[in-house]
Amino acid sequence: MVETLPSATIHRMRHYRKNRLLQMMQELDVPTLLIYDPVNIRYATDSRNVQVYALNHDCRYLFMAADGTTELFDWVAGHDAYHGHLDTIDMVHTARPVGYMSDGEENFDNALALWADEITALVRRTSPDDLRIGIDRLTPFQATALEARGVSVINGQAPIYRARAVKGPEEVEAQRLSAKACHDGFQRMFAVTQPGVTESDIWAHLHAANIEWEGEWINARYLLSGEKTNPWAQETGLRIIRPGDLIGCDSDLIGPYGYAHDISRTWIADGKPDDRQRRLYAASFEHVHRNMELLKPGVTFMELTEKGFTYSPELAEQNFTTIFHGLGLENEWPIIKSPDKRDIPGAYGGGYDGVIEAGMTLCIESYAGEVGGPDGVKLEEMVLITADGWEQLSTYPLD
C-alpha cells in the first residue's frame, strides 16, 4: 500500500529546508538569491509547479533575501490556487520570462529591462547596503542588465548546495518513502523479466510504481540488457531480452516529495550466471562495500579519494571517475573522485575537498566490465551518514 507523510512532518520539513538555506546564506555572506533551477525552488519553498517544463523554459524563479523575504515569480500568480498551502512563500508574482521563445527579437530588450528593474528593486528593498545577488543560473544578458543597474551578480550555488547536503530528520523520512517506491518498482521489474520482452517493457514498471507512489520522474534511461550493459550508460530501448542476458538498472528515480532514490541492481533474465559473470558481480559488490566502509563524519573528500578501493586494471578502465556522490532532491554536492581517476576529467567533475557530515546522504557507485566484454555489472547503494558511521537507505537486496 502506498504511504504518505503526515502533514505535520511535511510542514517541519519545509521549514527546516528554508531555514537551513537562510542559515547558509548568512554564513557564506550571500545577501540575496535569485533561483531559477526548479529543484532549488522546491528545496526552498516546496513549490513543485511544472518542474520539468521549467528545466527547459525560464518561466518561474524565486527571490530570497537573508532577512527571510521569499517571493516567487511563477507563470501563474494565483497564490491560493497554486501556492496557498505553502507558508514558505511571502508573495507570488507573475514571472517575466526573458528569451527568444517568449519575446522574439522585437520584444526582447523591453522584456529584459522590465525584468532587471523588478529584480533590482527587490535587491534595493531587502538589502540596501549590500547590492549583491547570488544566482544559480542566469543568461549573460540578464547578468549584464543587473550589473548596469548597480547590482553585483555573484555565484549563489554554494549556499544552496551546502544547505541541501545535510538532511533534516523529516527529509530522511521522505527519502525512506522514496526507497519504498523504488523497492516496489524493482520488485515489479524482476517479476516481469523473461526472454521475449523488451527493455522498455521491463523499465515501464519502475515508472508505474514511482507515479503510483506520487513520485516525479526518472532522470536517465538506464535499464540495459545483454551487450548493451558493456560499456555502461547506453539507453533503454526495444532490445528483446534473450535467455542468459544480464540486465542492469540504475534507478535515477525522483520519487515521493521530490526525493531521489538512486540504486543499481544487476540480474539475469533466465537461468544461472556463468563463472565470468559471477566474477564481475563479486568484483562490483566488493568495490561498493569496501568504499562504503570508509564513510563516517569528519573524513574529508580527499581522504576518501586517497583511501578509495579500486578495481584491478582490466576492470578499472570502464568504471566511473567517481566513487561517491551526494543525493537529495536530485544528484547533489559533493562529487568524490576515484583514486585511480583523480586526474581524469569526467562529466561529473569532483576533485575538490570538503568534510563528510552527519545528515548527508551519499551513493556509492560501481561498474565492472572488461573493455570489449560481452556484458557488465552495475551496482550502487545509498547510505545516510550518521553520528558514528552510516546507515543503508536502499532496501532492495543485491542477490
Side-chain angles (χ1 to χ4, degrees), residues 325-362:
H325 68 79
L327 198 75
L329 292 176
E330 263 282 2
N331 278 23
E332 295 182 348
W333 179 90
I335 303 295
I336 300 173
K337 298 195 82 167
S338 179
D340 58 330
K341 301 193 176 183
R342 67 177 73 194
D343 299 321
I344 299 174
Y348 262 172
Y352 47 80
D353 209 356
V355 178
I356 298 295
E357 300 178 54
M360 286 182 168
T361 49
L362 297 170

Side-chain angles (χ1 to χ4, degrees), residues 63-104:
F63 176 86
M64 289 187 72
D67 67 1
T69 299
T70 306
E71 300 191 16
L72 179 67
F73 294 77
D74 213 331
W75 69 336
V76 286
H79 187 273
D80 291 338
Y82 293 91
H83 311 98
H85 63 295
L86 296 174
D87 61 358
T88 52
I89 300 170
D90 300 326
M91 190 175 296
V92 181
H93 312 273
T94 301
R96 295 184 184 275
V98 179
Y100 193 85
M101 188 178 83
S102 57
D103 305 306

Side-chain angles (χ1 to χ4, degrees), residues 174-246:
Q175 289 182 312
R176 295 190 196 281
L177 275 191
S178 190
K180 291 181 179 181
C182 193
H183 187 112
D184 184 9
F186 270 85
Q187 280 187 319
R188 299 186 197 191
M189 290 193 294
F190 271 56
V192 300
T193 297
Q194 60 181 347
V197 302
T198 69
E199 293 172 342
S200 292
D201 289 333
I202 299 171
W203 191 50
H205 290 269
L206 183 61
H207 286 266
N210 191 35
I211 297 302
E212 289 172 25
W213 279 80
E214 189 65 4
E216 297 288 354
W217 64 82
I218 293 176
N219 271 341
R221 301 177 62 91
Y222 287 166
L223 184 292
L224 306 173
S225 64
E227 69 278 358
K228 287 178 64 179
T229 63
N230 189 337
W232 187 254
Q234 302 178 57
E235 291 202 319
T236 307
L238 298 178
R239 182 187 181 278
I240 296 173
I241 306 302
R242 298 192 295 262
D245 276 347
L246 286 186

